[in-house]
């Protein structure tokens, strides 16, 4: 069995600045995010939000099966960060930075351009376990602060880091890409996001991609191609 690159059993808070453990400070980005999420969700009333909508939203039907990849997004984040934390600290750093950048940009957008979507069905077309779960999700998560979609932005970052992971098998990369595609689609099919939110997440992801990987990954390849 492959051994972790860092022995976290030796970690203590007093050692957080130790080069072996300093990357763990990036996890504080989640604390800042949840604090900002709580404030934007509770201090910005829905009446002050701009309604996000496009014609594609009316074409896409509600489909509760997409709740599965939508919720699977949480597992994908945790598993990806955990694997990188144990076996590739550089990839953990890159994914964490990617997520933090998208968090910051999204929160600024939510404050400067408060958004909401009114796509949730008044009545579900079917009555089953998944629709009950969707109803519970609706009750826990408001329909505000939606553009850009962090579900999509984070997913782009996860796919990006995994595709650059040399040690990852091809099958694993294919699985991640398929999972990310389904997650992006799920945001629209369970009416958590407008197609506009999904499209708006793409430039946010590209910004994070450029900041995190521009010099270390894309620039050397661009120079090599020009030389060739």
């Amino acid at each position: 069995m492959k051994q972790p690159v860092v022995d976290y059993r030796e970690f203590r808070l007093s050692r957080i600045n130790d080069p072996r453990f300093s990357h763990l400070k990036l996890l504080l980005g989640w604390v800042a995010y949840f604090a900002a999420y709580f404030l934007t969700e509770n201090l910005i009333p829905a009446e002050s939000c701009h309604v996000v909508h496009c014609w594609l939203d009316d074409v896409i039907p509600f489909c509760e099966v997409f709740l599965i990849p939508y919720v699977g997004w949480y597992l994908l984040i945790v598993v990806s960060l955990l694997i990188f934390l144990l076996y590739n600290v550089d990839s953990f750093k890159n994914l964490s930075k990617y997520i933090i950048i998208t968090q910051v940009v999204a929160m600024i957008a939510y404050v400067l351009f408060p958004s909401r979507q009114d796509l949730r069905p008044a009545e579900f077309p079917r009555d089953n376990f998944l629709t009950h779960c969707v109803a519970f999700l609706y009750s826990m998560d408001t329909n505000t602060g939606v553009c850009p979609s962090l579900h999509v932005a984070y997913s782009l970052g996860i796919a990006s880091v995994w595709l650059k992971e040399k040690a990852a098998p091809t099958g694993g990369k294919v699985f991640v890409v398929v999972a990310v595609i389904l997650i992006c689609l799920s945001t629209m099919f369970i009416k958590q996001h407008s197609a506009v939110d999904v499209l708006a997440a793409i430039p946010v992801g590209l910004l994070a991609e450029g900041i995190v990987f521009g010099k270390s990954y894309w620039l050397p390849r661009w120079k090599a191609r020009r030389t060739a």
Side-chain angles (χ1 to χ4, degrees), residues 72-131:
W73 174 79
Y74 298 98
L75 183 61
L76 185 62
I77 292 175
V78 173
V79 171
S80 295
L81 286 173
L82 182 59
I83 289 175
F84 294 143
L85 189 66
L86 293 175
Y87 303 114
N88 192 330
V89 172
D90 286 337
S91 291
F92 171 81
K93 291 178 180 178
N94 288 333
L95 180 55
S96 295
K97 291 175 183 177
Y98 196 112
I99 288 174
I100 290 172
I101 292 167
T102 57
Q103 285 173 349
V104 170
V105 173
M107 288 302 157
I108 292 174
Y110 297 163
V111 171
L112 297 181
F113 185 80
S115 57
R116 81 170 195 262
Q117 54 87 359
D118 296 331
L119 302 172
R120 295 176 176 180
E123 294 183 2
F124 293 117
R126 291 163 292 279
D127 182 18
N128 54 47
F129 174 74
L130 288 177
T131 55

Side-chain angles (χ1 to χ4, degrees), residues 182-200:
L182 290 174
I183 288 168
C184 293
L185 291 174
S186 74
T187 63
M188 297 178 286
F189 276 94
I190 66 168
K191 302 303 177 179
Q192 278 290 85
H193 283 282
S194 162
V196 176
D197 307 332
V198 174
L199 293 175

Side-chain angles (χ1 to χ4, degrees), residues 45-187:
E47 297 77 18
S48 301
C49 297
H50 304 274
V51 177
V52 181
H53 181 268
C54 73
W55 66 270
L56 193 57
D57 300 326
D58 300 325
V59 176
I60 298 173
F62 172 84
C63 184
E64 68 272 18
V65 173
F66 278 92
L67 177 70
I68 298 173
Y70 185 88
V71 175
W73 174 79
Y74 298 98
L75 183 61
L76 185 62
I77 292 175
V78 173
V79 171
S80 295
L81 286 173
L82 182 59
I83 289 175
F84 294 143
L85 189 66
L86 293 175
Y87 303 114
N88 192 330
V89 172
D90 286 337
S91 291
F92 171 81
K93 291 178 180 178
N94 288 333
L95 180 55
S96 295
K97 291 175 183 177
Y98 196 112
I99 288 174
I100 290 172
I101 292 167
T102 57
Q103 285 173 349
V104 170
V105 173
M107 288 302 157
I108 292 174
Y110 297 163
V111 171
L112 297 181
F113 185 80
S115 57
R116 81 170 195 262
Q117 54 87 359
D118 296 331
L119 302 172
R120 295 176 176 180
E123 294 183 2
F124 293 117
R126 291 163 292 279
D127 182 18
N128 54 47
F129 174 74
L130 288 177
T131 55
H132 293 170
C133 291
V134 173
F136 176 74
L137 175 66
Y138 287 174
S139 69
M140 298 295 293
D141 188 15
T142 70
N143 62 333
T144 61
V146 292
C147 188
S149 167
L150 282 177
H151 248 72
V152 175
Y154 288 6
S155 297
L156 294 176
I158 292 170
S160 175
V161 177
W162 272 113
L163 288 174
K164 296 178 180 67
E165 188 69 20
K166 295 180 180 179
T170 301
K173 293 181 179 180
V174 170
F175 172 82
V176 169
V177 170
V178 172
V180 165
I181 292 173
L182 290 174
I183 288 168
C184 293
L185 291 174
S186 74
T187 63

